[in-house]
Amino acid sequence: MKNYINVENGKNLDLLKIAATSIQNGNLILMPTETVYGLGADGLNENAVKKIFEAKGRKQDNPLILHISDMKMLDTIACNISQLEKTLMEKFWPGPLTIILNRKKIVPDIVTGGLDTVGVRMPSNLVANKIIALSSTPIAAPSANISGRPSGTNIDDISDELSQKVETIVDDGMCDIGLESTVIRVVNNSVIILRPGKITKEDLEKYCDDVIVDKHILNKLDDNVKVLSPGMKYRHYAPNAKCILVYSDNNTKLIEKICEISKEYISPVIISTSENVNAYKNNTKVKNILDIGHRKNLDEISKNIFTYLRKVDTYLPDIVIIEGVKKEGLGLAIMNRLLRACEYNIIEV
Ligand code: TXA
Ligand code: MG
C-alpha cells in the first residue's frame, strides 16, 4: 500500500483524488460503501480488473458488480432497461440494491464472467460516490476479502489479507449496513432475488406484485446445477473453525439446545443475541460468548456478523455455535450468510 487516507466523519475528502488517480492508473484500492468495503478497480480496464481476481483468488466465472455515481454512467454500460427496472432504480438508488442488466459491449468480458448481463449498483455512501465520480469510470468492486472469507466491514479486519495488494486504502470506519447489497434480476415483470440484503422482499413488493426468492438462497446447491448467479456456487463467509447454526421459534428450546451442544465440545464459542448471553453464562462453562446484538434489532446484528465470523477463529474453538434468527425481512439476509458460514450445518428445534 502506498497511500492510506482516513476520511472518517467527513474529513480529508479532498484527498479522495488520490484514490481516483489509483483507479485511473489501473491500480487497486480498498474503498468503503454503505454495505461492505470493496476492492475496487477501473471497471472498463481489463488489466485492472484482472488484478482484482488475482488479489482475491476469485474464480473467473464469478462476475463483478459495476459501481456508478450517476445515471449518465449507467447509459455507458447497460441497455434495454425496462420500466420496472427504472422504477426500482428511482426508489432504491443510491443504495444497497444491485440490478442485473443487459450489458453494453464496452464492459469487458472479465467483469461479467462472459455473461451477457452486468450487475450494477449506485452506492449511497458519499465517499464511494465521490471516488467513482472523480475517477469518471464505473468501478468494479467485489467485497474486500480473500475469496471464501467473511466480507470486510472495516479496514482493521482486512488489512492483513489485502493491504499489500492495493495502492490506496480509503478508511471510512465501520460500514453502516454490514451485509452486501441485495442482488436482483427482473425477468418479464417479476423480480428474482438472487442474494438477499438490506433491501428486503417486502421492500421490493411495494413496486412489484411478483417477487421471487431464488430457492438457492436458503438451500445447498446440488453439484452441477445451473444457477442465475455464479456467486451462489462458492463456499463463503466461513471462519476456519467448524460452525453450527441453531434455530428455534421458541427461545427456551433454543437456549436448551445450544447449552446441550456446547457440552459435547472442549473449547466452544457461542455467538449469541444480547437477550440470551446471560442464559449461557449461567448454564454453561463456555468462556467465549460473543454478543452479536439484539434479536429485535436486525440492523445491529447484520452490522456485526462479518466481524464476529472473523473474530471467532482467534479463540481457536473446536466448534462455533451460532444462534439463528427468523427468516423474515432482513433476517433472510442474515440467515443466508450464516447458513453459508456454517456450510448448511443447521439444527432446527
Ligand atoms: O454490497 C455489495 O454488493 C458489495 C459492495 C462492495 O458493493 N459487493 C459485493 O460484490 O458483494 P461480490 O463480488 O462480493 O458479490 C457480487 C455477487 C456475486 O454473488 C456475483 O455472482 C453476483 O453478485 N453477480 C455479479 N454480476 C452478476 C451477473 N451479471 N449475473 C448474475 N450474478 C451476478
Ligand atoms: Mg463477496
Side-chain angles (χ1 to χ4, degrees), residues 275-325:
E275 289 86 346
N276 292 346
V277 169
N278 279 333
Y280 302 125
K281 277 195 184 147
N282 298 334
N283 296 299
T284 70
K285 292 187 183 131
V286 177
K287 281 202 214 90
N288 299 304
I289 302 165
L290 306 181
D291 177 350
I292 197 170
H294 292 84
R295 192 158 275 275
K296 290 207 183 80
N297 186 349
L298 296 180
D299 285 324
E300 189 184 5
I301 295 180
S302 70
K303 198 165 174 162
N304 287 328
I305 281 188
F306 286 133
T307 296
Y308 279 57
L309 289 176
R310 285 171 172 274
K311 191 170 171 189
V312 287
D313 281 329
T314 61
Y315 302 109
L316 302 175
D318 53 359
I319 187 82
V320 180
I321 310 168
I322 309 176
E323 277 189 8
V325 298

Side-chain angles (χ1 to χ4, degrees), residues 11-69:
K11 63 181 188 222
N12 295 330
L13 290 182
D14 51 324
L15 298 181
L16 290 178
K17 51 182 181 297
I18 297 173
T21 304
S22 292
I23 292 290
Q24 287 172 339
N25 289 339
N27 293 318
L28 298 183
I29 67 169
L30 283 180
M31 62 182 277
T33 81
E34 69 279 19
T35 56
V36 299
Y37 273 81
L39 177 62
D42 179 349
L44 302 184
N45 175 339
E46 186 180 335
N47 284 327
V49 174
K50 230 180 237 162
K51 293 181 189 170
I52 295 179
F53 284 87
E54 283 161 11
K56 278 191 68 121
R58 181 171 172 120
K59 295 261 172 27
Q60 294 279 346
D61 71 345
N62 194 4
L64 303 177
I65 296 169
L66 289 184
H67 298 70
I68 57 171
S69 53

Side-chain angles (χ1 to χ4, degrees), residues 74-285:
L74 177 69
D75 279 344
T76 62
I77 54 177
C79 53
N80 304 331
I81 297 170
S82 70
Q83 189 50 51
L84 178 54
E85 287 162 342
K86 280 185 194 152
T87 304
L88 297 174
M89 290 168 188
E90 248 166 55
K91 300 295 171 188
F92 296 109
W93 280 3
L97 182 71
T98 296
I99 309 180
I100 309 296
L101 298 166
N102 292 312
R103 69 187 268 210
K104 283 194 175 160
K105 285 228 165 60
I106 192 174
V107 180
D109 280 343
I110 187 166
V111 169
T112 67
L115 300 173
D116 50 15
T117 54
V118 60
V120 184
R121 116 174 166 86
M122 188 190 288
S124 60
N125 176 293
L126 290 178
V127 174
N129 189 283
K130 195 144 192 217
I131 297 172
I132 303 163
L134 288 168
S135 304
S136 320
T137 183
I139 294 186
S143 54
N145 54 276
I146 298 290
S147 282
R149 298 279 297 145
S151 303
T153 52
N154 61 83
I155 292 294
D156 266 1
D157 280 359
I158 47 177
S159 61
D160 277 357
E161 63 195 60
L162 289 173
S163 67
Q164 295 312 312
K165 300 180 175 178
V166 301
E167 186 174 74
T168 300
I169 293 181
V170 181
D171 188 347
D172 190 25
M174 281 283 288
C175 295
D176 282 344
I177 296 172
L179 291 180
E180 308 88 340
S181 61
T182 306
V183 178
I184 62 161
R185 178 154 181 189
V186 173
V187 177
N188 300 324
N189 255 327
S190 304
V191 170
I192 306 174
I193 300 181
L194 302 173
R195 181 175 70 183
K198 172 74 182 160
I199 308 286
T200 62
K201 178 172 191 276
E202 294 77 4
D203 293 331
L204 294 162
E205 275 168 349
K206 288 182 198 143
Y207 308 101
C208 172
D209 293 335
D210 192 29
V211 180
I212 302 159
V213 176
D214 191 289
K215 65 177 190 295
H216 302 307
I217 281 176
L218 294 171
N219 297 294
K220 196 171 177 173
L221 281 176
D222 292 332
D223 289 344
N224 299 324
V225 72
K226 204 168 175 286
V227 287
L228 272 177
S229 182
M232 290 172 166
K233 288 189 295 197
Y234 299 113
R235 180 176 186 267
H236 222 318
Y237 315 121
N240 295 319
K242 180 181 159 194
C243 301
I244 183 164
L245 184 58
V246 185
Y247 179 74
S248 176
D249 284 332
N250 177 321
N251 199 43
T252 311
K253 278 194 189 162
L254 176 72
I255 292 170
E256 272 170 21
K257 190 70 194 174
I258 289 184
C259 291
E260 184 192 317
I261 298 171
S262 73
K263 289 180 182 127
E264 294 164 20
Y265 291 87
I266 298 165
S267 52
V269 169
I270 299 176
I271 298 186
S272 165
T273 50
S274 309
E275 289 86 346
N276 292 346
V277 169
N278 279 333
Y280 302 125
K281 277 195 184 147
N282 298 334
N283 296 299
T284 70
K285 292 187 183 131

